[in-house]
Amino acid sequence: MALVPFDDRDGFIWFDGAMVPWREAKLHVLSHGLHYASAVFEGERAYSGTIFRLRAHTERLIASGRILGFEVPYTVEQIEAACRQVLAANNLTDAYVRPIAWRGSEMLAVSAQHTRIHLAIACWPWPNMFGEARMKGVRLGIADWKRPHPETAPTASKAAGLYMIGTLAKHKAEAEGFDDALMLDWRGQVAEETGANIFFVFDGEVHTPIPDCFLNGITRRTVMSIARHNQMKVVERVIMPDELTRATEAFVAGTAAEVTPVREIGPYRFTPGDITFRLAKDYEALVHMQPAEVEARAPI
Ligand code: PMP
């Protein structure tokens, strides 16, 4: 597949309050966000013209900035309007939406109290992170990099800096022929995939790790809500890797990954099954509903 570079496309990007031609959405190389990772972002999906759980994503963007010590200079309503405008400007109804906020170039040192906070929002077609064959189950390696202790990094923020080890883990997994990597945390507990949360089926119950050092994803909470609505038992608990021999199904859940079965994690094997397919199907139906209906059917 030919790669279309992200800086050389037709379309528009919302940038600091204005809709600018895609190729002109540039920033200076001496931006604090680039040098010191003072950036937070979101990953959203629009389905049939409506951005799924836009309120939750927008509130998380603002909260992520506050964790990094800055205030995104727009209201929730302004950011939501900008997300919708950028979809419309690009004539897209089904797309991935990427808001990103970062510290500018007024100061370039560890201390950057007086930098301007910028916000850009782009969108592009991205059918699914794992492509067409994903329902057969993806294959994950186990990463060497560990999710850090929450006193070591701002783990509750969707901060760009946290993705540094994600990219290292995913590149290694890909080099070994896997689709992605499962990350353990610093204690050796199962944490998450590099860009999605993880779930397992044990004895017909849905089990997932406690999100105390990684994102408590919007999709994760949505899937738990759907599962409970289906009378499934949902358990958040410490999961150690050696327990995975007993799990029958595994799947990941995230905005980009949606609900995707996992058939392999390192030495462990799973068979995509009824519980995963049921949750994937219900999630797929939910994302096409209007916000009020989503809130009523799957409160998070
Ligand atoms: N963990 C990581 C590291 C992620 O990047 C994502 C995607 N934002 C998730 C979990 C899942 O979060 P969400 O369901 O809110 O997209």
Side-chain angles (χ1 to χ4, degrees):
M1 192 180 74
L3 285 178
V4 185
F6 272 87
D7 58 357
D8 190 18
R9 297 183 178 195
D10 296 330
F12 295 90
I13 291 176
W14 187 97
F15 193 175
D16 287 339
M19 202 62 77
V20 304
W22 192 286
R23 291 178 185 81
E24 290 168 27
K26 293 180 179 172
L27 62 151
H28 200 272
V29 291
L30 299 181
S31 293
H32 195 271
L34 176 65
H35 292 243
Y36 298 97
S38 52
V40 296
F41 66 95
E42 268 308 315
E44 306 165 355
R45 265 188 195 284
Y47 297 91
S48 310
T50 303
I51 302 174
F52 183 66
R53 301 216 117 133
L54 177 57
R55 180 55 52 101
H57 283 285
T58 307
E59 287 175 348
R60 186 171 67 187
L61 178 76
I62 292 170
S64 291
R66 287 184 183 151
I67 292 170
L68 261 60
F70 65 75
E71 197 63 34
V72 177
Y74 300 94
T75 63
V76 168
E77 290 74 20
Q78 287 170 327
I79 297 168
E80 291 185 353
C83 289
R84 295 191 183 104
Q85 282 162 19
V86 83
L87 270 178
N90 289 287
N91 280 320
L92 289 170
T93 54
D94 293 84
Y96 182 78
V97 183
R98 166 59 60 84
I100 180 160
W102 69 95
R103 286 190 188 277
S105 38
E106 292 78 6
M107 298 175 78
L108 195 64
V110 173
S111 174
Q113 307 272 7
H114 304 296
T115 42
R116 177 176 172 197
I117 306 304
H118 297 271
L119 178 66
I121 308 172
C123 63
W124 58 88
W126 193 15
N128 182 278
M129 184 169 125
F130 292 112
E132 285 297 300
R134 73 187 181 102
M135 286 324 254
K136 288 197 282 221
V138 295
R139 300 174 55 246
L140 309 182
I142 299 179
D144 300 328
W145 293 97
K146 305 290 192 287
R147 282 275 162 229
H149 188 293
E151 290 178 4
T152 302
T155 54
S157 170
K158 194 166 164 63
L162 295 170
Y163 287 83
M164 175 180 64
I165 59 172
T167 297
L168 290 171
K170 186 153 183 169
H171 282 183
K172 180 155 188 277
E174 286 175 344
E176 292 168 354
F178 294 106
D179 298 299
D180 207 327
L182 173 76
M183 299 188 76
L184 309 179
D185 70 13
W186 86 98
R187 295 163 292 204
Q189 300 173 6
V190 172
E192 59 168 356
E193 189 233 55
T194 61
N197 291 116
I198 190 133
F199 287 82
F200 302 95
V201 176
F202 286 95
D203 302 320
E205 298 173 359
V206 177
H207 291 210
T208 192
I210 301 158
D212 58 4
C213 64
F214 54 85
L215 278 189
N216 181 3
I218 293 163
T219 319
R220 176 186 184 276
R221 285 177 277 146
T222 301
V223 164
M224 289 168 67
S225 188
I226 295 172
R228 289 185 175 125
H229 184 80
N230 277 305
Q231 272 74 51
M232 294 176 190
K233 187 162 180 219
V234 180
V235 183
E236 291 181 271
R237 66 174 181 90
V238 172
I239 301 176
M240 298 307 289
D242 60 8
E243 291 180 56
L244 301 188
T245 46
R246 288 202 309 108
T248 49
E249 299 179 35
F251 62 90
V252 292
T255 299
E258 300 168 303
V259 176
T260 295
V262 173
R263 71 182 143 100
E264 191 177 324
I265 301 179
Y268 308 106
R269 299 289 176 274
F270 314 93
T271 311
D274 292 347
I275 291 180
T276 303
F277 292 135
R278 169 91 233 179
L279 295 172
K281 191 162 164 277
D282 285 5
Y283 182 74
E284 169 67 17
L286 190 75
V287 296
H288 287 96
M289 293 176 192
Q290 288 309 305
E293 209 175 347
V294 171
E295 294 311 319
R297 284 182 184 242
I300 56 172

